[in-house]
C-alpha cells in the first residue's frame, strides 16, 4: 500500500525551481491537476539546465511519479530525468540497468502520464529535470510523487562511538557468514565493523580514502598469519553522503563482496575454513579492551541502516 500522493498535501513552499517565467508561473503552482496561477510551472528559459524540486519533508520511499503540462497551454515536457537527495545538496541520478533513466513525458498539456519505478527511491528531495519539451511551446510542468513514509533501523555514529554485538559464548566459530548493511558518510576513513579472535582470525570492513576495504583472515594452523591475510577493495568516492549498500557472503574460503551493484568474488588464503571470533563484533570502530572511549583505528562517522549479521538485526537488537 505504498502509493499515497506525497506532493498534494505539501505546502506550496515545498516546491522550488531553478527559475520562473513570471510569478504566476512559479513552482508553487506545479501540483498535479491544479489550475491556479498560470496553471503550472514554467522557467524563465527553456533549456536543459532547468529543474523543479520537491522537498517531501522527510525521507520517504518513492515508488511512482506522474506529470502534466501547464494547464490549457502549449507548454509541456516530453521527456525528463529524475535526481534525488537526502540533503538537498548532494544529488544522485535515478538509474535503471546502470543507465541514467529517461522518462517519457507528456504530449499535451492536461493528460496525466504515470510511471511506476522499477526501483523505488529512498529520499527526501526529488528533482524533475526537463530534457525535451513541446517544440511549439515552452517547458511546462505539474507533478505528483507517490510513495509512503520510509521506516528503517538507523544508527548514527559521531566518530567517537561504537555498537557492540556480543555472542552467547566466548568463542564463535562459523563456516558461513552473511553481513548486510547500508551506510552513508562524509568522512573518507573509518571502521564500519570488526571482529577478531585470539587464534589470529579477524574480519574488518573499513572506509579508506573513500573506498571500501574488506580485510579477512581465517587463521593458519601453522600460525603464519601473514600468509592467511586477504584484502579486497571496492568502490570509490563512497564518502559522498549518499546511501551505499554492502553485502558480504562467506562460505568456507569462498567470499562474495558486493558494494552497490558491483561484486568481487574471491577465495581467502590460509588453510582454515572457519572464522573464529572472540565473544563480540564491533560496529563503528575497534574499541581498545579495558579503555572505554579509546579506539585502535579511526572510527566511522556517518549513518548505518538495516544492519544484519547472520540474520540478526543488530540495530533493532540494540534499541530493545
Amino acid at each position: 500500500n505504498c502509493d499515497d500522493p506525497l506532493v498534494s498535501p505539501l505546502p506550496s513552499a515545498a516546491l522550488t525551481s531553478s527559475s520562473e517565467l513570471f510569478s504566476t508561473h512559479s513552482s508553487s503552482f506545479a501540483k498535479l491537476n491544479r489550475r491556479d496561477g498560470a496553471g503550472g510551472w514554467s522557467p524563465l528559459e527553456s533549456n536543459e539546465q532547468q529543474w523543479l524540486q520537491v522537498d517531501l519533508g522527510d525521507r520517504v520511499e518513492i515508488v511512482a511519479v506522474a506529470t502534466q503540462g501547464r494547464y490549457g497551454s502549449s507548454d509541456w515536457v516530453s521527456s525528463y530525468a529524475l535526481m534525488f537527495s537526502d540533503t538537498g545538496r548532494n544529488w544522485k541520478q535515478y538509474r535503471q540497468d546502470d543507465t541514467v533513466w529517461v522518462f517519457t513525458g507528456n504530449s499535451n498539456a492536461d493528460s496525466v502520464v504515470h510511471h511506476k519505478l522499477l526501483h523505488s527511491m529512498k529520499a527526501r528531495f526529488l528533482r524533475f529535470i526537463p530534457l525535451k519539451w513541446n517544440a511549439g511551446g515552452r517547458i511546462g510542468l505539474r507533478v505528483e510523487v507517490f510513495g509512503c513514509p520510509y521506516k528503517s533501523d538507523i544508527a548514527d555514529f559521531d566518530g567517537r562511538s561504537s555498537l557492540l554485538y556480543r555472542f552467547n559464548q566466548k568463542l564463535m566459530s562459523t563456516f558461513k557468514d552473511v553481513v548486510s548493511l547500508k551506510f552513508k558518510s562524509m568522512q573518507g576513513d573509518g571502521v564500519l565493523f570488526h571482529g577478531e579472535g585470539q587464534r589470529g582470525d579477524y574480519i574488518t570492513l573499513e572506509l579508506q580514502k573513500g573506498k571500501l576495504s574488506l580485510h579477512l583472515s581465517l587463521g593458519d594452523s601453522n600460525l603464519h598469519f601473514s600468509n592467511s591475510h586477504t584484502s579486497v577493495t571496492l568502490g570509490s568516492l563512497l564518502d559522498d553522503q549518499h546511501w551505499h549498500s554492502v553485502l558480504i557472503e562467506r562460505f568456507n574460503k569462498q567470499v562474495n563482496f558486493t558494494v552497490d551493484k558491483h561484486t568481487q568474488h574471491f577465495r581467502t588464503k590460509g588453510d582454515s575454513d572457519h572464522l573464529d571470533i572472540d565473544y563480540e563484533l564491533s560496529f563503528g570502530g575497534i574499541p581498545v579492551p579495558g579503555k572505554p572511549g579509546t579506539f585502535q583505528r579511526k572510527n566511522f562517522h556517518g549513518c548505518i541502516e538495516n544492519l544484519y549479521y547472520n540474520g540478526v538485526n543488530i540495530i533493532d537488537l540494540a534499541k530493545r
Side-chain angles (χ1 to χ4, degrees):
N1 297 322
C2 186
D3 58 359
D4 298 329
L6 302 178
V7 174
S8 56
L10 293 173
S12 297
L15 287 86
T16 55
S17 63
S18 52
S19 65
E20 58 188 48
L21 183 60
F22 300 109
S23 60
T24 52
H25 295 66
S26 78
S27 56
S28 61
F29 303 117
K31 295 183 179 181
L32 204 73
N33 294 321
R34 294 282 290 273
R35 300 182 180 183
D36 43 353
W41 168 68
S42 286
L44 182 61
E45 301 287 342
S46 290
N47 56 44
E48 293 185 8
Q49 282 70 55
Q50 308 299 327
W51 46 263
L52 175 67
Q53 177 176 311
V54 182
D55 178 358
L56 295 160
D58 206 347
R59 197 162 190 245
V60 298
E61 182 167 6
I62 300 167
V63 300
V65 293
T67 60
Q68 285 174 301
R70 192 167 62 79
Y71 173 71
S73 74
S74 57
D75 302 340
W76 60 81
V77 172
S78 54
S79 69
Y80 62 93
L82 291 176
M83 300 185 76
F84 59 99
S85 172
D86 284 329
T87 63
R89 296 183 298 274
N90 301 310
W91 294 87
K92 265 191 170 181
Q93 294 174 310
Y94 176 76
R95 294 173 174 265
Q96 287 184 194
D97 302 322
D98 287 332
T99 302
V100 175
W101 194 252
V102 176
F103 292 84
T104 301
N106 301 89
S107 55
N108 58 52
D110 295 308
S111 296
V112 176
V113 176
H114 185 280
H115 288 285
K116 186 171 179 62
L117 304 183
L118 181 62
H119 309 293
S120 66
M121 288 182 282
K122 285 83 173 178
R124 173 177 169 175
F125 298 90
L126 186 67
R127 277 187 181 180
F128 292 79
I129 313 293
L131 300 177
K132 294 182 180 179
W133 45 91
N134 180 25
R138 309 176 61 89
I139 290 174
L141 202 55
R142 288 176 284 170
V143 302
E144 184 56 273
V145 176
F146 300 90
C148 56
Y150 180 63
K151 294 182 175 67
S152 65
D153 292 303
I154 299 178
D156 295 310
F157 295 88
D158 60 5
R160 300 184 299 274
S161 59
S162 66
L163 184 63
L164 299 180
Y165 173 54
R166 290 196 167 132
F167 307 125
N168 292 326
Q169 60 258 45
K170 290 186 177 180
L171 175 66
M172 177 67 74
S173 184
T174 60
F175 287 91
K176 180 180 180 180
D177 293 290
V178 179
V179 181
S180 63
L181 59 93
K182 294 183 72 175
F183 76 92
K184 67 176 180 179
S185 176
M186 292 187 69
Q187 302 291 329
D189 299 276
V191 174
L192 276 82
F193 81 85
H194 171 80
E196 64 181 75
Q198 294 181 7
R199 301 178 184 178
D201 294 30
Y202 59 83
I203 181 169
T204 306
L205 180 71
E206 66 176 321
L207 274 170
Q208 295 179 311
K209 296 182 179 179
K211 300 179 180 181
L212 206 55
S213 296
L214 174 62
H215 311 295
L216 184 62
S217 174
L218 300 185
D220 191 302
S221 60
N222 296 319
L223 301 182
H224 293 157
F225 300 140
S226 60
N227 295 329
S228 61
H229 172 84
T230 305
S231 291
V232 173
T233 299
L234 270 180
S236 62
L237 303 177
L238 300 177
D239 51 344
D240 59 357
Q241 194 61 14
H242 287 299
W243 287 102
H244 299 283
S245 58
V246 181
L247 176 62
I248 300 167
E249 302 167 293
R250 182 190 70 87
F251 183 72
N252 295 338
K253 291 188 179 70
Q254 191 62 44
V255 182
N256 300 328
F257 178 32
T258 302
V259 178
D260 295 329
K261 294 183 179 180
H262 305 284
T263 302
Q264 182 88 12
H265 307 280
F266 66 94
R267 192 171 173 83
T268 61
K269 300 175 183 178
D271 61 2
S272 176
D273 286 334
H274 53 269
L275 177 66
D276 292 331
I277 298 295
D278 290 345
Y279 75 88
E280 72 180 18
L281 288 171
S282 64
F283 298 88
I286 310 176
V288 176
K291 295 183 178 180
T294 305
F295 297 88
Q296 296 179 27
R297 295 218 283 275
K298 187 169 182 178
N299 271 25
F300 176 70
H301 194 292
C303 301
I304 296 178
E305 76 170 4
N306 297 339
L307 171 58
Y308 288 84
Y309 171 71
N310 289 348
V312 177
N313 187 327
I314 302 296
I315 299 174
D316 180 61
L317 193 65
K319 288 179 177 178
R320 293 180 192 173

